[in-house]
Structure formats: C-alpha cells, structure tokens
Amino acid sequence: MTTTTPGRRERLRAETVTEIKHAARRLLVAGGPTAISLRAIARDLGMTAPALYRYFASLDALILAIVTDLFEDLRATVADAAVAHGDEEPLARVGYMARAFRRWSLDRPAEFALMFGSPVPGVTPFAERCGPLNDAGARFGETFFTVLGEHYARHPFGGEAPDLPDPALRELFKPYLDIFGDRFPLPVIYLFVAAWTRLYGIVAMEVFGHLRWAMTDVEPLFEVELARTVSRLAR
C-alpha cells in the first residue's frame, strides 16, 4: 500500500480549504453575509457538516479566514494603484488609492458588507478576532500610511492642530497609536481619521444604496471630499 507523503496530505488539505472558502464566497455573493453557514457549504461540496470541522474549528474561524483574504485582496488593489502612479507625488497616489478602494467596494457589495457592515449573527466581529498588530485590516491601513509617510518625510506637517490639545488627542487615538505607532504628528492622525470617516461613509452609503434618494451619481461628491482631504493633508 502506498503511503501518502506529508507533502501530498498538506496539498490536499490546502485544496479543500480553498474549496470551502470558495463555496462560502458563493453563498456570500448570492445571499449576503447571513447566507454563510457550515451546513450550506457542506451541502454545496457534497460533504457532511461535521467534516468541515477538520478544516475550520467553527463558523467564526471560517469567516475570519474569508475576511482576511478579502482584506488582502483589497490591500493588493490599493497598493497596485499606488505603484501604477509611482511617478506622482505621494498625496496624489493616496487619491488614486482611495479611488481604487471605492471601485473595489462597489464591485463587491456583498464582500464589503461582510468586512465593514453589520456582524454576521452568531459570529464574533472581525475586529475582535484579530491581533491588533498583525491583522489584515492593519496591513490594509499600513498601505496608506506608508505612502502618507513619504509625503511627510519630504514636507513636514505645518498645519494647524484641531481644537483639541495633544494630551487629549493622544488619549483619543490610543487604539491607533497602539497599532501603528507615533510616526505622524497627532494633528495628522486626526486629519487622516476624520478624512477616512468622511470618505468611507460616502463609499458605504453608495454601496448600500443609501444615497439613491438624493443623488443620481455619487462620484462627484466622493471626488470633492477626496480633494478636500488631500488639501488638508498637504498643509
């Protein structure tokens, strides 16, 4: 009898893990985050639900793996946008990265909902499942901060601080500082987080269709806010 080598077993296991994640992604696209279940995946793959536990300890673990993959895909997308415009100034590249984020999100509304929307019932939210220093969301954020760091290495920040003293800002942004450190002045962190809140908010409302009552095209609004963001960060 031929003995299966560890290498072959590992390859077969990796292939099955990939098939499980692909099946979960199909359910996500077809029915939204709440459509993902171990029973439905097992039925799709011709497996028993208990057999899936050999590959993922729980639905939590599977969702975490899928969201990690999605964040990596998103990270690669915005990084590619920065590389494609590598001959431009850093803040211009940040603009292209923000546009890439918007386009990726609009093209993948179900995936966006899983990553940024309401938590799946019974599943621990992604942010609570990941280590703060190594999770995929932090790697996505770091892609922006790397390019932003290039700008401030050339042009030290000279703008006005928000109407909060540095001690208050330091306490306010403690979670950020714990993850990304203090490479930027506190006012820059404030400006970036405020800008991200506005731009992300526009993208989220566009993805979920919450601006259809008011606008025929959201892109001009996004572009205006993006231009304001770049202008504020350039001070």
Side-chain angles (χ1 to χ4, degrees):
M1 183 174 67
T2 303
T3 302
T4 303
T5 66
R8 177 172 171 75
R9 284 198 298 268
E10 290 169 2
R11 286 195 299 273
L12 291 173
R13 178 179 179 82
E15 290 171 2
T16 303
V17 167
T18 298
E19 290 175 1
I20 292 170
K21 290 195 287 188
H22 284 172
R25 186 89 172 260
R26 288 193 295 271
L27 290 168
L28 170 65
V29 171
T34 58
I36 303 173
S37 73
L38 295 180
R39 187 178 298 277
I41 293 168
R43 185 167 55 248
D44 183 41
L45 296 178
M47 302 171 66
T48 64
L52 293 178
Y53 288 102
R54 295 202 296 268
Y55 303 94
F56 293 97
S58 63
L59 183 59
D60 261 36
L62 174 57
I63 295 294
L64 176 59
I66 295 169
V67 173
T68 297
D69 288 349
L70 291 172
F71 264 111
E72 176 55 29
D73 183 41
L74 177 55
R75 185 207 64 77
T77 297
V78 298
D80 287 347
V83 171
H85 299 277
D87 58 342
E88 300 198 35
E89 289 294 316
L91 288 184
R93 277 181 273 149
V94 168
Y96 287 111
M97 295 164 74
R99 293 183 186 100
F101 165 71
R102 173 177 173 266
R103 178 47 53 197
W104 188 96
S105 302
L106 292 174
D107 289 344
R108 298 165 181 81
E111 290 88 339
F112 182 92
L114 181 65
M115 298 163 71
F116 297 107
S118 300
V120 178
V123 175
T124 306
F126 176 70
E128 297 178 19
R129 294 281 298 164
C130 301
L133 296 178
N134 299 307
D135 70 65
R139 291 193 294 274
F140 165 63
E142 180 61 32
T143 308
F144 280 92
F145 296 135
T146 296
V147 178
L148 200 61
E150 292 182 37
H151 170 76
Y152 290 115
R154 303 175 190 177
H155 311 285
F157 180 75
E160 296 182 1
D163 295 330
L164 288 170
D166 273 10
L169 288 175
R170 185 164 296 279
E171 179 61 28
L172 186 67
F173 291 116
K174 185 177 185 305
Y176 166 93
L177 293 169
D178 288 344
I179 297 172
F180 296 106
D182 59 356
R183 81 187 87 170
F184 301 120
L186 289 168
V188 170
I189 299 172
Y190 175 94
L191 290 172
F192 184 87
V193 172
W196 169 253
T197 301
R198 288 190 297 272
L199 293 174
Y200 163 76
I202 292 171
V203 171
M205 293 187 74
E206 186 177 12
V207 169
F208 297 133
H210 294 330
L211 287 172
R212 290 174 186 162
W213 66 273
M215 306 181 71
T216 59
D217 184 5
V218 180
E219 185 172 5
L221 174 62
F222 179 85
E223 287 294 331
V224 166
E225 286 301 324
L226 180 57
R228 287 176 178 168
T229 293
V230 170
S231 175
R232 288 173 180 137
L233 292 172
R235 293 175 183 173

